Each structure stands twice: as C-alpha cells, then as structure tokens.
C-alpha cells in the first residue's frame, strides 16, 4: 500500500463512526489482499508474504473487536478464523491458494458491512478533528486539499 492510500485511509478513519471503521478495515484488508495476489503473480513471493501478514493482522483486529453480547459474533469469529487459517496456508505454502478461499469470505462480509455502514447515522468517533476540503484550489494536473480547523488540539480529548 502506498503513502497516498494510507493518507486516504487515515482521513476516512478520522471522520468515521463505529461501523464505518469496520468497513474501512475491510477496505484495508482488500488492499493488502490485492497487493499479495499481484506480488504472487509477479513472482515476488517475499513481498506477497509481507502483504499476507498484514492481511492476517487486519483479520486479527476484526476478530479481537467482536462484541460477544451479540449472537452473530460467534458466527463472525468462526468465519474470521477460517480466513486466518487460509491466509496462514498461503504464507506457509507461499502461494495464493488459501488467499483465494479467504477472498471469497472477506468479499461477502465486506459488502455486507459496507451496506450496514451506509445505514448507520451515528456521529463520528473522533470529534475534534480537522476538516479537509478538496477542490477549493486546483494545481496543474492535481486537486489540492486544504486543511481547516485547530491544528494544535485535534483528535481525541482526554
């Protein structure tokens, strides 16, 4: 994942609510998954394995953040465990076989969480963030972004 994508995800995270964050985790997983598949196809096994390890980290976060007060969490845990085992299989076999199986599950779950996140109207988790406005000014061949707000005190207040 390049710096531009990381910056875009950071901006999304700063303005997201709870379900939006879960949806973003699926997007991050998808980026690393794509990196791994592309690297396997290009014969760059070490880079693919590095991307797979990041996939496993994202799934670990999803698993760790489950709220078992809801019945569906047990089902999600089992699905995440299946994904983890398949990602691990791709790591130790150094091929994309397990990742392709994991992709099927994560694509379905990602689509479902994206739909649910669209319906969530709760406030963003981070209240004291900077606003970013795109399109106020234009550069030659690029769209400039302007940051508005208090730079000395932003993010979570303790």
């Amino acid at each position: 994942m390049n710096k531009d994508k990381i910056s875009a995800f950071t901006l999304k995270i700063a303005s997201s609510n709870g379900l939006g964050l879960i949806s973003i985790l699926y997007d991050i997983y998808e980026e690393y998954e794509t990196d791994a598949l592309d690297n396997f196809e290009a014969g760059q096994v070490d880079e693919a394995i590095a991307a797979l390890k990041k996939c496993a980290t994202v799934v670990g976060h999803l698993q760790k953040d489950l709220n078992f007060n809801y019945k569906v969490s047990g089902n999600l845990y089992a699905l995440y465990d299946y994904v983890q085992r398949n990602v691990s299989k791709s790591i130790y076999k150094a091929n994309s076989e397990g990742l392709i199986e994991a992709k099927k599950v994560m694509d379905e779950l990602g689509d479902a969480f994206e739909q649910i996140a669209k319906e969530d109207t709760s406030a963003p988790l981070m209240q004291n963030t900077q606003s970013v406005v795109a399109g106020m000014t234009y550069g030659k061949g690029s769209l400039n972004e302007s940051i508005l707000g208090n730079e000395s005190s932003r993010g979570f207040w303790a």
Side-chain angles (χ1 to χ4, degrees):
M1 187 178 329
N2 63 30
K3 287 184 179 186
D4 290 337
K5 288 182 182 178
I6 292 170
S7 294
F9 282 127
T10 302
L11 182 60
K12 285 182 182 179
I13 288 168
S15 62
S16 290
N17 57 21
L19 281 174
L21 287 175
I22 299 299
S23 183
I24 291 168
L25 280 173
Y26 279 97
D27 292 342
I28 292 170
Y29 174 88
E30 188 177 340
E31 285 294 324
Y32 287 130
E33 175 186 76
T34 301
D35 289 349
L37 290 170
D38 291 347
N39 285 322
F40 274 130
E41 191 174 308
Q44 300 169 328
V45 177
D46 291 339
E47 290 85 354
I49 289 174
L52 285 169
K53 289 179 180 178
K54 291 180 180 181
C55 285
T57 301
V58 172
V59 174
H61 282 291
L62 289 166
Q63 227 171 1
K64 181 182 69 171
D65 293 338
L66 289 171
N67 182 349
F68 287 98
N69 292 328
Y70 299 99
K71 194 173 186 177
V72 71
S73 294
N75 296 333
L76 286 170
Y77 188 88
L79 289 170
Y80 293 148
D81 188 54
Y82 174 77
V83 169
Q84 282 284 40
R85 284 185 280 123
N86 277 292
V87 169
S88 295
K89 181 179 172 182
S90 279
I91 291 171
Y92 71 77
K93 286 191 172 184
N95 66 30
S96 62
E97 181 183 318
L99 184 60
I100 291 170
E101 286 299 311
K103 180 176 177 23
K104 294 174 188 174
V105 173
M106 291 299 283
D107 285 350
E108 291 290 325
L109 289 173
D111 291 344
F113 272 102
E114 186 177 329
Q115 292 300 319
I116 295 168
K118 286 179 185 176
E119 297 174 12
D120 186 5
T121 58
S122 61
L125 294 176
M126 295 177 72
Q127 298 297 321
N128 191 29
T129 59
Q130 293 175 319
S131 299
V132 176
V133 179
M136 296 288 284
T137 60
Y138 298 92
K140 185 175 182 175
S142 68
L143 178 66
N144 295 332
E145 293 180 344
S146 300
I147 298 175
L148 309 172
N150 185 1
E151 290 186 34
S152 64
S153 175
R154 60 184 195 163
F156 287 108
W157 278 346

